[in-house]
Amino acid sequence: MLESQLSALNLCPRTAFVLGAGLGTRLKALTACRPKPLIPVMNRPLIEFAFDRLLSSGVERLIVNTHWRAERYAEFFPNSHYRGAELIFRHEAPEILETAGGIWNVRDLLGGEPFLVFNGDILATFDLAPALAAHRARGNEVTLVLRSAGGPLQVAFDDASGRVTDIGGRVDPDCGPRFLFTGVYVVSPEFIRRIPPREKISVVPIFCEMIRAGAPLGAVVLDDGNWWDLGTREHYLTAHRDLATLPNFQSAPGPWIDPTAKIGADAQLTGATAIGRGSSIGAGARLHDCIVWNDAEVAPGAQLERCTVTDGSRAAGEHSDFDFAPARMQR
C-alpha cells in the first residue's frame, strides 16, 4: 500500500542502478557459468527479484553494470525491457569498478535526478517507501536502508538526527548502536561529484568522508519484510530453505520444479529442492535441499543433500554440500 501511494505521489526515483558486475568469488563454482545476479532462486534469476521490488516502488528505468560472464545477461534479457521498464546494461572493463566507480560510470544515464542503488546479490521484500520518504523529507544526499539484525552490524545510526555516524569503526569505533547495511540506498545526483573520476573505488570511504564533513548521509531502519544476502553458497541454500517455509512460496510444484524437467520413477525430492528448465532426475534419485539448474542431469540412484548442480552439469553418486559444475567452467 505504501509503495503504491508513493508511486502515485511521484516520490519514487524513476531510475535504479542494480549492481551486477561482481565477480562472485565467494560462490566459487556457482558463478563459474553465471554472474552472481543470475544464479537461480526458485528457477528465476536472482536479479529479477530486485527488478520486481524496484518496479513495485515506481521505478521506470533499470540500469545494470556488468563484468564477469557479461554475455549471459543477453541470454536471460534479450531485449531492452523488463516488464515494460527500460533495461540498460553498462559493461565495466578491463576491471570491475566497485560500487562508487560503477555509479560514476553510469552517470550519463542517471538523468541528473535522484536514483536507487540495489545490490545484485541480495533478495529483499521490504517496502522501500519509508526510505524514499525520509530521503526527501530530510534533504539527505544519500539514505541507507538498514536492518537491526541478519548479518554484520557495522553501521552506527543516530535515530534522533537521522544521520549515519560511523561505518565499520572507520570514523568513530565507539559509536552505537550498530545496524546491518542492506545494500540498498537512495542517492541524490550531487553525490556523484564526490566520486573520483575513472577510479575503482567503493562507496564506503566516500560515505566515511561525508560523515567527517557533516554531510547529510542519512538512514532508515526497515525491519519489516525479509532480506537475504546470497553472497555465499551457505547463504544461497539457507535462503531457499527460508523461502520454502513462507506461505507465499509454498506452492508446489509451482516455481520449484520447472514443467519441462523430467523426474524419474520413485525419485524423491524433499526439503527446499528446486529443479530447473530441461533438467532430468534419474529414477530412484534422492535429493534433499538441492538446487538443480537448467539442462542438468542427476543420475539414477544418486543421493544428494545440500548440493547444487549447475547448468549442463551431471551429478552421480552420494554427496553432501557439494557443487557440480562442468570441468571446463571450474575456476
Side-chain angles (χ1 to χ4, degrees), residues 157-181:
F157 169 63
D158 177 29
D159 185 62
S161 66
R163 295 288 182 86
V164 174
T165 55
D166 181 71
I167 300 177
R170 292 172 174 85
V171 179
D172 186 351
D174 297 324
C175 272
R178 300 273 166 170
F179 297 88
L180 163 75
F181 176 41

Side-chain angles (χ1 to χ4, degrees), residues 18 27 34-52 76-77 82 118-124 228-231 236 239 243:
V18 182
L27 285 166
R34 298 194 193 195
K36 182 167 49 177
L38 293 183
I39 63 173
V41 175
M42 298 185 305
N43 293 321
R44 295 182 64 198
L46 170 59
I47 200 170
E48 287 192 0
F49 292 88
F51 289 169
D52 290 344
F76 289 88
F77 305 102
Y82 175 81
F118 205 105
N119 277 9
D121 60 355
I122 65 168
L123 195 162
W228 294 272
D229 172 7
L230 277 67
Y236 179 56
L243 289 168

Side-chain angles (χ1 to χ4, degrees), residues 34 41 47 58 71 181 200 226 235 241-242 258 264 291 299 303-305 311 317 325 330:
R34 298 194 193 195
V41 175
I47 200 170
E71 76 283 356
F181 176 41
K200 177 180 179 179
N226 302 102
H235 292 159
R241 289 195 293 270
D242 291 346
D258 190 275
I291 316 296
Q303 298 186 43
L304 308 178
E305 184 170 3
D311 295 329
Q330 295 281 3

Side-chain angles (χ1 to χ4, degrees), residues 19 97-101 103 119 142 144 154-155 164 166-171 178 181 183 185 191 194-196 200-212 217:
L19 297 165
L97 297 172
E98 297 194 14
T99 46
I103 292 172
N119 277 9
V142 178
L144 311 182
Q154 296 186 330
V155 178
V164 174
D166 181 71
I167 300 177
R170 292 172 174 85
V171 179
R178 300 273 166 170
F181 176 41
Y185 41 114
F191 173 76
R194 299 182 183 273
I195 304 173
K200 177 180 179 179
I201 184 172
S202 165
V203 293
V204 173
I206 301 175
F207 289 166
C208 290
E209 286 303 315
M210 292 178 66
I211 296 170
R212 296 185 185 100
L217 175 65

Side-chain angles (χ1 to χ4, degrees), residues 9-317:
L9 292 170
N10 197 31
L11 297 180
C12 183
R14 294 189 305 162
T15 301
F17 178 44
V18 182
L19 297 165
L23 296 174
T25 52
R26 290 184 299 157
L27 285 166
K28 299 179 180 178
L30 300 187
T31 49
C33 60
R34 298 194 193 195
K36 182 167 49 177
L38 293 183
I39 63 173
V41 175
M42 298 185 305
N43 293 321
R44 295 182 64 198
L46 170 59
I47 200 170
E48 287 192 0
F49 292 88
F51 289 169
D52 290 344
R53 179 104 311 258
L54 292 163
L55 296 187
S56 70
S57 300
V59 166
E60 300 172 359
R61 300 173 70 243
L62 300 163
I63 302 169
V64 181
N65 62 341
T66 66
H67 180 74
W68 172 253
R69 299 308 305 260
E71 76 283 356
R72 297 302 307 273
Y73 283 100
E75 298 176 32
F76 289 88
F77 305 102
N79 57 50
S80 58
H81 290 82
Y82 175 81
R83 289 181 48 199
E86 184 180 11
L87 178 58
I88 304 169
F89 293 98
R90 174 64 59 85
H91 189 61
E92 296 180 4
E95 62 179 349
I96 187 173
L97 297 172
E98 297 194 14
T99 46
I103 292 172
W104 188 89
N105 195 47
V106 298
R107 68 199 182 284
D108 58 308
L109 301 174
L110 297 172
E113 300 175 350
F115 56 95
L116 275 158
V117 178
F118 205 105
N119 277 9
D121 60 355
I122 65 168
L123 195 162
T125 65
F126 48 67
D127 187 350
L128 296 174
L132 297 166
H135 184 78
R136 172 167 291 199
R138 297 171 182 170
N140 290 337
E141 189 172 319
V142 178
T143 301
L144 311 182
V145 176
L146 309 178
R147 287 174 77 83
S148 298
L153 307 182
Q154 296 186 330
V155 178
F157 169 63
D158 177 29
D159 185 62
S161 66
R163 295 288 182 86
V164 174
T165 55
D166 181 71
I167 300 177
R170 292 172 174 85
V171 179
D172 186 351
D174 297 324
C175 272
R178 300 273 166 170
F179 297 88
L180 163 75
F181 176 41
T182 65
V184 180
Y185 41 114
V186 192
V187 183
S188 292
E190 54 266 30
F191 173 76
I192 298 175
R193 295 197 296 266
R194 299 182 183 273
I195 304 173
R198 291 173 287 277
E199 282 194 22
K200 177 180 179 179
I201 184 172
S202 165
V203 293
V204 173
I206 301 175
F207 289 166
C208 290
E209 286 303 315
M210 292 178 66
I211 296 170
R212 296 185 185 100
L217 175 65
V220 294
V221 179
L222 302 182
D223 286 333
D224 292 336
N226 302 102
W227 179 90
W228 294 272
D229 172 7
L230 277 67
T232 68
R233 77 173 308 276
E234 291 78 15
H235 292 159
Y236 179 56
L237 293 172
T238 296
H240 276 84
R241 289 195 293 270
D242 291 346
L243 289 168
T245 68
L246 298 179
N248 292 340
F249 295 95
Q250 286 182 342
S251 58
W256 291 86
I257 302 177
D258 190 275
T260 65
K262 298 178 180 178
I263 312 299
D266 300 322
Q268 297 182 29
L269 310 178
T270 60
T273 293
I275 311 297
R277 184 189 69 244
S279 291
S280 62
I281 309 299
R286 301 165 71 175
L287 282 68
H288 180 73
D289 287 348
C290 293
I291 316 296
V292 180
W293 296 15
N294 296 343
D295 303 313
E297 177 188 358
V298 175
Q303 298 186 43
L304 308 178
E305 184 170 3
R306 299 184 305 277
C307 292
T308 62
V309 188
T310 63
D311 295 329
S313 301
R314 186 178 190 275

